[in-house]
Amino acid sequence: MQIIRDAQALNEAVAGLREGGRTIAFVPTMGALHEGHMALILEARTRADAVVASIFVNPTQFGPNEDLDAYPRREAADAAMLEKEGVAILWAPDAATMYPEGPAATIEASAIGDDLDGAARPGHFDGVATVVARLFDQVKPDFALFGEKDYQQLAVIRQMVRDFELAVEIVGVPTQRDADGLALSSRNAYLSDDERLAARTLPRALGEAAQAIAEGADVAEALDKARARLEGAGFEAIDYIDLRDAQTLVPMTLLDRPARLLAAAKIGRTRLIDNLPVERAQN
Ligand code: AMP
């Protein structure tokens, strides 16, 4: 595996990979890799001839009071994991390489990025769209893989690809979870033992609400119940828990088409997000 930090070197390496019409699948990450990221790498291998991964902790998607400086960084361990799974190139630029002109040209995320995490984290999805567009430009992938764990991010990127008619196919990969149901996340490392125990309530409350709604329960009531359960477990701030159209993410009060139940809540100082599909139960 080549570890590349320089844009010109990346250009040459990507051109080499593409020789003879070989295809590239790309997995962008912020590092501190876990089995959730590795599921994307494994899926990438099935899609294309070569896999390129990136590690870049993108400052423009962090708010002023967020965890940019504290975000876990362990590139050597990450590189070993990627190499073991046959990744051809690890693209690991620094901020000056990614933004040589500073934050000059930015992309504004579509309206899909306005609420939910976009409301809780103003500017977040503009930062995501901007860095992903730059990464696509640098890596020129045929496929790019993103986790359903960050469902709104996946929807924002799919919309950006449609809006700009980018020649890349976006592949969503199901959320990988610990044995107790908690979605794997680099931020789980911030949780104390007690918080880690309480955090299990997030997927459980979501799972119960999703099942109740699928079986015909009143949406508002099911969401209220889930909210109460999270508060009871010690979640201090619930940014949102809401039922949305699975594609457009517009709010839904009735389950009349495929939906997604999404939540974000803080436990201690750690903000967790999760989501589940909701479709009417067949009977
Ligand atoms: P991050 O490093 O957090 O920016 O994540 C990089 C990619 O991995 C994103 O597409 C995430 O959605 C995806 N990802 C993170 N955690 C998981 C997980 N538990 N299951 C599936 N994909 C994940």
Side-chain angles (χ1 to χ4, degrees), residues 27-44:
V27 179
T29 82
M30 298 204 302
L33 301 182
H34 49 64
E35 290 307 315
H37 299 107
M38 297 322 284
L40 272 59
I41 299 287
L42 293 185
E43 181 63 30

Side-chain angles (χ1 to χ4, degrees), residues 28-30 34 36-37 40 71 146-147 149-150 174-176 184:
T29 82
M30 298 204 302
H34 49 64
H37 299 107
L40 272 59
Y71 199 83
F146 293 87
K149 156 89 187 347
D150 300 279
T175 302
Q176 309 295 306
L184 297 176

Side-chain angles (χ1 to χ4, degrees), residues 6 37 42 44 48 96 98 130 135 150 188 205-206 220 245 253:
D6 170 78
H37 299 107
L42 293 185
M98 188 58 86
T130 299
L135 287 165
D150 300 279
N188 292 354
L206 275 181
D245 181 290
T253 49

Side-chain angles (χ1 to χ4, degrees), residues 48-69:
D49 298 314
V51 178
V52 176
S54 65
I55 296 179
F56 180 61
V57 183
N58 175 33
T60 68
Q61 70 189 69
F62 285 76
N65 299 314
E66 294 185 356
D67 56 344
L68 174 63
D69 293 334

Side-chain angles (χ1 to χ4, degrees), residues 173-192:
V173 176
T175 302
Q176 309 295 306
R177 299 177 178 280
D178 257 345
D180 64 0
L182 184 66
L184 297 176
S185 166
S186 307
R187 289 192 167 96
N188 292 354
Y190 301 152
L191 297 169
S192 69

